[in-house]
């Protein structure tokens, strides 16, 4: 049986503020995993152009989850299918709607983050994230619903595996790409960084215990690690860092 081989290329390296965007290609299909924030649109387009591609060349977008920093350039790809977890789409959409409520958002946010006040400076930090959300969130930038295929009911292309990692946000998926020499894990925010998660400007975990379990599971897989908000690095099967490029 023919084995599908994927080339993996980081388009936008993750940082404390910006999410990682990755290009997958197998010769016949090109996929962009996570698309970033609106002010990064030119960076994403330039990264594709340097590799000889236009948005019309992208057959599919995969969103690991629907936080604003991962999805708001989906609209650059109007002819692409968009794969993502429906659970995350609905959960994030409801969260952002409730955050827009000026008088009750502090109460309503506890429905999504019941552990909120277990974190230092929780209310102040959530206020900053709320401002970021209100600035950027625009459902029109997610693409048309007719483009969507939910990962709960639609399998990914051959050679790609999805792994539900729900600690960061319900429904979150990470991607595993098998390879001849090593696997690659496109972790999304199930693995924020190699070792400095506290520096990332993002929502707290939906479930802190589960997020720790997700992180440990991903790291245990070994191979090429592509975090949601950091440069990639590699782990030997025993868990030792083989190589790493830091920002």
């Amino acid at each position: 049986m023919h084995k599908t081989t994927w080339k993996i290329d980081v388009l936008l390296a993750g940082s404390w503020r910006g999410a990682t965007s990755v290009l997958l290609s197998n010769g016949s299909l090109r996929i962009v995993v996570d698309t970033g924030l609106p002010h990064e649109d030119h960076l994403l387009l330039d990264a594709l152009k340097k590799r000889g591609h236009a948005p019309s060349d992208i057959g599919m977008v995969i969103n690991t989850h629907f936080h604003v920093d991962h999805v708001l350039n989906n609209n650059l790809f109007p002819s692409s299918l968009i794969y993502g977890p429906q659970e995350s789409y609905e959960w994030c959409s409801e969260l952002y709607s409730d955050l827009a409520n000026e008088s009750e958002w502090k109460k309503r946010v506890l429905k999504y983050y019941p552990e909120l006040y277990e974190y230092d400076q929780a209310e102040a930090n959530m206020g900053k994230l709320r401002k970021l959300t209100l600035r950027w969130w625009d459902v029109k930038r997610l693409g048309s619903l007719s483009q969507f295929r939910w990962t709960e009911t639609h399998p990914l292309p051959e050679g790609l595996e999805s792994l539900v990692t729900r600690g960061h946000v319900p429904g979150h998926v990470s991607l595993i790409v098998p390879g001849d020499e090593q696997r690659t894990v496109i972790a999304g925010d199930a693995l924020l960084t190699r070792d400095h998660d506290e520096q990332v400007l993002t929502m707290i975990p939906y479930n802190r215990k589960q997020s720790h379990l997700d992180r440990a599971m991903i790291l245990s897989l070994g191979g090429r690690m592509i975090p949601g908000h950091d440069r990639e690095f590699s782990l030997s099967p025993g868990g030792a860092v083989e190589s790493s490029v830091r920002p």
Side-chain angles (χ1 to χ4, degrees), residues 221-232:
L221 295 173
R224 181 183 179 187
M225 299 281 147
I226 303 181
H229 288 271
D230 200 355
R231 304 278 179 159
E232 66 177 88

Side-chain angles (χ1 to χ4, degrees), residues 191-197 215 219 227 230 233 241 244 246:
L191 178 66
L192 289 173
T193 72
R194 189 182 77 176
D195 51 16
H196 291 292
D197 288 4
R215 177 184 173 88
L219 291 173
D230 200 355
F233 61 97
V241 175
S244 177
R246 304 295 295 168

